[in-house]
Amino acid sequence: MANRRCIQTLAQQLYKSLQHLRTLTYIPNLPKLNPKSHHMFPNANFNSPLIHFTTYRHYSSDQHDNSDVSKDDDSEYDDDDDDVMENNNVASCVVKKEYSPEEQETEAAAIGYKVIGQLQRSDRVFKAYEPVFAVIQIGAHQFKVSNGDCIYTEKLKFCEVNDKLILNKVLMLGSKAQMMIGRSVLPEAAVHAVVEEHALDAKVIIFKKKRRKNYRRTKGHRQELTKLRITDIQGIEKPEMPMPTPAKKVEKAAVTA
Protein backbone atom coordinates (compact mmCIF):
# COMPACT_ATOMS: atom_id res chain seq x y z
CA MET A 1 0.00 0.00 0.00
CA ALA A 2 2.83 2.38 0.74
CA ASN A 3 4.35 1.73 -2.71
CA ARG A 4 0.97 2.34 -4.30
CA ARG A 5 0.62 5.73 -2.61
CA CYS A 6 4.16 6.68 -3.67
CA ILE A 7 3.42 5.77 -7.30
CA GLN A 8 0.19 7.79 -7.28
CA THR A 9 1.95 10.80 -5.76
CA LEU A 10 4.77 10.68 -8.32
CA ALA A 11 2.28 10.38 -11.20
CA GLN A 12 0.31 13.39 -9.95
CA GLN A 13 3.46 15.47 -9.62
CA LEU A 14 4.55 14.46 -13.14
CA TYR A 15 1.16 15.44 -14.54
CA LYS A 16 1.30 18.84 -12.82
CA SER A 17 4.82 19.50 -14.15
CA LEU A 18 3.68 18.64 -17.68
CA GLN A 19 0.69 20.95 -17.32
CA HIS A 20 3.08 23.72 -16.24
CA LEU A 21 5.33 23.08 -19.27
CA ARG A 22 2.31 23.17 -21.51
CA THR A 23 1.77 26.84 -20.62
CA LEU A 24 5.38 27.63 -21.64
CA THR A 25 5.74 25.56 -24.83
CA TYR A 26 3.43 23.71 -27.14
CA ILE A 27 2.60 20.20 -25.98
CA PRO A 28 -0.22 18.07 -27.43
CA ASN A 29 -3.39 17.67 -25.43
CA LEU A 30 -2.74 15.41 -22.45
CA PRO A 31 -5.28 12.86 -21.29
CA LYS A 32 -7.20 13.49 -18.10
CA LEU A 33 -5.63 12.03 -14.96
CA ASN A 34 -7.58 9.43 -13.07
CA PRO A 35 -5.98 9.35 -9.57
CA LYS A 36 -7.80 6.15 -8.64
CA SER A 37 -6.25 4.13 -11.46
CA HIS A 38 -2.67 3.07 -12.00
CA HIS A 39 -3.11 3.32 -15.78
CA MET A 40 -2.48 7.03 -15.71
CA PHE A 41 -2.31 7.68 -19.48
CA PRO A 42 -4.60 5.20 -21.23
CA ASN A 43 -4.83 7.01 -24.61
CA ALA A 44 -1.62 9.01 -24.58
CA ASN A 45 0.44 9.39 -27.75
CA PHE A 46 3.75 7.97 -26.56
CA ASN A 47 5.31 8.26 -30.04
CA SER A 48 5.27 12.03 -29.77
CA PRO A 49 8.80 13.53 -29.62
CA LEU A 50 7.69 15.87 -26.83
CA ILE A 51 6.83 13.04 -24.44
CA HIS A 52 9.83 10.91 -23.56
CA PHE A 53 8.22 7.64 -22.47
CA THR A 54 9.51 4.38 -23.92
CA THR A 55 7.33 1.72 -22.29
CA TYR A 56 4.18 1.54 -20.25
CA ARG A 57 4.34 -0.69 -17.21
CA HIS A 58 1.51 -2.56 -15.59
CA TYR A 59 2.04 -2.79 -11.85
CA SER A 60 1.16 -5.87 -9.86
CA SER A 61 -0.50 -3.71 -7.23
CA ASP A 62 -3.55 -2.93 -9.42
CA GLN A 63 -6.80 -2.44 -7.54
CA HIS A 64 -9.28 -5.32 -7.46
CA ASP A 65 -12.83 -5.74 -6.41
CA ASN A 66 -11.94 -6.58 -2.79
CA SER A 67 -12.29 -2.97 -1.67
CA ASP A 68 -12.87 -3.98 1.96
CA VAL A 69 -9.44 -5.56 2.22
CA SER A 70 -7.80 -2.51 0.67
CA LYS A 71 -9.60 -0.24 3.09
CA ASP A 72 -8.36 -2.32 6.02
CA ASP A 73 -4.82 -2.19 4.66
CA ASP A 74 -5.07 1.57 4.23
CA SER A 75 -6.27 1.98 7.80
CA GLU A 76 -3.36 -0.10 9.09
CA TYR A 77 -0.82 1.97 7.17
CA ASP A 78 -2.52 5.16 8.30
CA ASP A 79 -2.14 4.02 11.91
CA ASP A 80 1.55 3.29 11.31
CA ASP A 81 2.01 6.71 9.74
CA ASP A 82 0.33 8.34 12.73
CA ASP A 83 2.71 6.51 15.09
CA VAL A 84 5.71 7.65 13.07
CA MET A 85 4.46 11.23 13.08
CA GLU A 86 3.95 11.13 16.85
CA ASN A 87 7.47 9.80 17.36
CA ASN A 88 8.88 12.54 15.11
CA ASN A 89 6.95 15.18 17.04
CA VAL A 90 8.27 13.86 20.34
CA ALA A 91 11.84 13.85 19.00
CA SER A 92 11.47 17.42 17.71
CA CYS A 93 10.16 18.58 21.09
CA VAL A 94 13.26 17.38 22.94
CA VAL A 95 15.14 20.50 24.03
CA LYS A 96 18.38 20.70 25.93
CA LYS A 97 17.86 21.77 29.52
CA GLU A 98 19.08 25.23 30.36
CA TYR A 99 20.71 25.50 33.78
CA SER A 100 20.67 28.61 35.94
CA PRO A 101 23.96 29.68 37.59
CA GLU A 102 22.82 28.21 40.92
CA GLU A 103 21.92 24.88 39.29
CA GLN A 104 25.26 24.80 37.45
CA GLU A 105 27.12 25.35 40.73
CA THR A 106 25.11 22.62 42.44
CA GLU A 107 25.69 20.12 39.63
CA ALA A 108 29.42 20.94 39.54
CA ALA A 109 29.70 20.48 43.31
CA ALA A 110 28.02 17.08 43.04
CA ILE A 111 30.59 16.06 40.41
CA GLY A 112 33.45 17.37 42.54
CA TYR A 113 34.68 20.72 41.20
CA LYS A 114 34.03 24.44 41.30
CA VAL A 115 34.81 27.06 38.63
CA ILE A 116 36.53 30.17 40.05
CA GLY A 117 37.20 32.10 36.84
CA GLN A 118 39.30 32.36 33.71
CA LEU A 119 43.07 32.04 33.65
CA GLN A 120 44.68 35.45 33.01
CA ARG A 121 48.06 36.18 31.45
CA SER A 122 49.28 37.75 34.69
CA ASP A 123 48.43 34.64 36.76
CA ARG A 124 51.37 32.54 37.88
CA VAL A 125 49.62 29.34 38.86
CA PHE A 126 52.18 26.82 37.66
CA LYS A 127 54.75 25.98 40.32
CA ALA A 128 57.77 23.73 40.64
CA TYR A 129 57.30 20.15 41.76
CA GLU A 130 56.54 19.60 45.44
CA PRO A 131 56.78 16.17 47.19
CA VAL A 132 53.05 16.10 48.07
CA PHE A 133 50.31 13.95 46.57
CA ALA A 134 46.54 13.86 46.80
CA VAL A 135 43.80 11.38 45.93
CA ILE A 136 40.80 13.18 44.42
CA GLN A 137 37.42 12.06 43.15
CA ILE A 138 35.78 13.52 40.02
CA GLY A 139 32.44 11.97 39.25
CA ALA A 140 32.86 8.22 39.75
CA HIS A 141 36.63 8.13 39.15
CA GLN A 142 39.55 8.61 41.53
CA PHE A 143 43.00 9.98 40.66
CA LYS A 144 46.30 10.22 42.50
CA VAL A 145 47.91 13.54 41.53
CA SER A 146 50.75 15.91 42.33
CA ASN A 147 51.23 19.46 41.14
CA GLY A 148 52.23 19.56 37.50
CA ASP A 149 50.41 16.31 36.63
CA CYS A 150 47.99 16.03 33.71
CA ILE A 151 44.83 13.91 33.97
CA TYR A 152 41.92 13.11 31.64
CA THR A 153 38.40 12.97 33.07
CA GLU A 154 34.98 12.58 31.56
CA LYS A 155 33.83 15.83 30.01
CA LEU A 156 33.00 18.53 32.58
CA LYS A 157 29.98 20.27 31.07
CA PHE A 158 30.04 23.57 32.98
CA CYS A 159 33.61 24.68 32.28
CA GLU A 160 35.51 26.02 29.29
CA VAL A 161 39.14 25.95 28.21
CA ASN A 162 41.48 28.01 30.47
CA ASP A 163 39.01 27.94 33.38
CA LYS A 164 40.49 27.64 36.87
CA LEU A 165 38.93 24.89 38.98
CA ILE A 166 38.97 23.82 42.61
CA LEU A 167 38.64 20.06 43.05
CA ASN A 168 37.06 19.81 46.49
CA LYS A 169 36.50 16.04 46.83
CA VAL A 170 39.92 15.21 48.31
CA LEU A 171 40.00 11.73 49.82
CA MET A 172 43.60 11.64 51.00
CA LEU A 173 46.71 13.82 51.30
CA GLY A 174 50.22 12.61 51.84
CA SER A 175 53.87 13.59 51.95
CA LYS A 176 57.09 12.16 53.34
CA ALA A 177 56.32 13.54 56.82
CA GLN A 178 52.58 12.88 57.31
CA MET A 179 49.45 11.24 55.92
CA MET A 180 45.83 12.52 56.11
CA ILE A 181 42.86 10.29 55.28
CA GLY A 182 39.34 11.69 54.98
CA ARG A 183 36.04 10.23 56.19
CA SER A 184 35.08 10.29 53.44
CA VAL A 185 36.61 13.61 52.30
CA LEU A 186 38.95 16.18 53.86
CA PRO A 187 36.89 19.36 54.30
CA GLU A 188 39.85 21.75 54.48
CA ALA A 189 41.81 20.28 51.57
CA ALA A 190 41.63 21.47 47.98
CA VAL A 191 43.37 20.78 44.70
CA HIS A 192 43.66 23.54 42.10
CA ALA A 193 43.62 22.76 38.38
CA VAL A 194 43.32 24.44 34.99
CA VAL A 195 41.26 23.17 32.03
CA GLU A 196 43.61 22.72 29.07
CA GLU A 197 41.30 21.24 26.44
CA HIS A 198 38.19 19.22 25.63
CA ALA A 199 39.06 16.20 23.51
CA LEU A 200 37.79 12.84 22.25
CA ASP A 201 39.17 9.48 23.32
CA ALA A 202 40.21 6.79 20.84
CA LYS A 203 37.36 5.06 19.04
CA VAL A 204 35.95 1.91 20.62
CA ILE A 205 34.19 -0.61 18.37
CA ILE A 206 30.97 -2.17 19.71
CA PHE A 207 30.05 -5.36 17.85
CA LYS A 208 26.93 -7.39 18.59
CA LYS A 209 26.02 -10.74 17.05
CA LYS A 210 23.30 -13.35 17.51
CA ARG A 211 24.25 -16.59 15.85
CA ARG A 212 21.83 -18.25 13.47
CA LYS A 213 19.67 -15.09 13.52
CA ASN A 214 21.42 -13.07 10.79
CA TYR A 215 21.94 -10.32 13.38
CA ARG A 216 25.11 -8.22 13.35
CA ARG A 217 25.48 -4.67 14.56
CA THR A 218 28.68 -2.62 14.52
CA LYS A 219 28.93 0.79 16.13
CA GLY A 220 31.74 3.11 17.19
CA HIS A 221 32.01 5.34 20.25
CA ARG A 222 34.43 8.12 21.18
CA GLN A 223 34.20 9.27 24.78
CA GLU A 224 34.32 13.02 25.41
CA LEU A 225 37.16 13.94 27.78
CA THR A 226 38.47 17.01 29.60
CA LYS A 227 42.20 17.50 30.13
CA LEU A 228 43.16 19.03 33.49
CA ARG A 229 46.55 20.32 34.65
CA ILE A 230 47.11 20.18 38.43
CA THR A 231 48.66 23.42 39.69
CA ASP A 232 48.56 23.29 43.51
CA ILE A 233 47.62 21.09 46.48
CA GLN A 234 46.44 22.77 49.68
CA GLY A 235 45.64 21.43 53.14
CA ILE A 236 48.94 19.81 54.17
CA GLU A 237 52.33 21.02 55.29
CA LYS A 238 54.77 20.86 52.43
CA PRO A 239 58.34 19.82 53.28
CA GLU A 240 61.07 22.04 51.97
CA MET A 241 62.90 20.76 48.97
CA PRO A 242 66.64 20.27 49.67
CA MET A 243 68.87 22.51 47.62
CA PRO A 244 70.97 20.56 45.16
CA THR A 245 74.67 20.61 46.07
CA PRO A 246 77.14 21.21 43.29
CA ALA A 247 79.14 18.18 42.35
CA LYS A 248 82.75 18.24 43.45
CA LYS A 249 85.38 17.96 40.79
CA VAL A 250 87.69 15.04 41.32
CA GLU A 251 91.23 15.79 40.26
CA LYS A 252 92.93 12.91 38.66
CA ALA A 253 96.51 12.39 39.80
CA ALA A 254 99.03 12.12 37.06
CA VAL A 255 100.28 8.61 36.68
CA THR A 256 104.01 8.41 36.29
CA ALA A 257 105.47 5.68 34.27
Side-chain angles (χ1 to χ4, degrees), residues 35-186:
K36 296 184 178 180
S37 175
H38 291 292
H39 305 285
M40 294 300 175
F41 303 101
N43 299 321
N45 183 13
F46 295 103
N47 296 323
S48 175
L50 298 178
I51 302 178
H52 302 285
F53 294 111
T54 57
T55 58
Y56 181 67
R57 297 182 179 180
H58 296 272
Y59 297 98
S60 61
S61 59
D62 292 338
Q63 291 183 355
H64 301 285
D65 295 335
N66 52 353
S67 59
D68 296 335
V69 177
S70 62
K71 288 181 181 179
D72 295 338
D73 295 339
D74 291 338
S75 63
E76 291 178 1
Y77 282 105
D78 292 339
D79 295 338
D80 295 339
D81 294 340
D82 294 339
D83 296 338
V84 172
M85 290 295 293
E86 290 178 0
N87 294 333
N88 293 335
N89 293 332
V90 171
S92 62
C93 294
V94 175
V95 181
K96 291 185 178 180
K97 182 180 178 181
E98 295 182 359
Y99 292 89
S100 63
E102 293 79 9
E103 291 176 345
Q104 291 183 6
E105 187 175 354
T106 304
E107 290 283 339
I111 295 172
Y113 71 96
K114 179 181 179 182
V115 181
I116 57 176
Q118 278 278 331
L119 180 66
Q120 304 298 328
R121 290 183 177 272
S122 59
D123 294 339
R124 297 292 181 265
V125 296
F126 300 101
K127 301 178 181 179
Y129 173 77
E130 296 173 346
V132 176
F133 73 91
V135 177
I136 59 175
Q137 180 175 348
I138 302 176
H141 302 277
Q142 298 179 3
F143 305 89
K144 179 184 177 183
V145 297
S146 298
N147 63 325
D149 289 350
C150 174
I151 60 173
Y152 285 90
T153 69
E154 293 185 0
K155 185 178 180 181
L156 306 178
K157 55 185 177 180
F158 299 125
C159 63
E160 302 296 336
V161 178
N162 292 333
D163 277 353
K164 295 186 292 184
L165 307 181
I166 295 180
L167 308 176
N168 45 27
K169 285 189 177 182
V170 182
L171 307 180
M172 185 170 64
L173 292 174
S175 66
K176 291 183 178 180
Q178 58 177 334
M179 181 78 66
M180 301 172 64
I181 300 175
R183 297 181 180 181
S184 62
V185 297
L186 296 170

Side-chain angles (χ1 to χ4, degrees), residues 195-212:
V195 180
E196 288 196 347
E197 65 173 340
H198 295 294
L200 294 176
D201 199 1
K203 180 177 285 188
V204 178
I205 302 300
I206 301 99
F207 179 75
K208 298 180 181 180
K209 177 183 177 181
K210 296 179 181 179
R211 61 177 185 172
R212 298 192 297 272

Side-chain angles (χ1 to χ4, degrees), residues 9-22:
T9 304
L10 291 174
Q12 291 175 2
Q13 292 179 355
L14 177 62
Y15 186 81
K16 290 180 181 178
S17 61
L18 292 176
Q19 288 287 357
H20 179 68
L21 290 174
R22 183 182 176 186

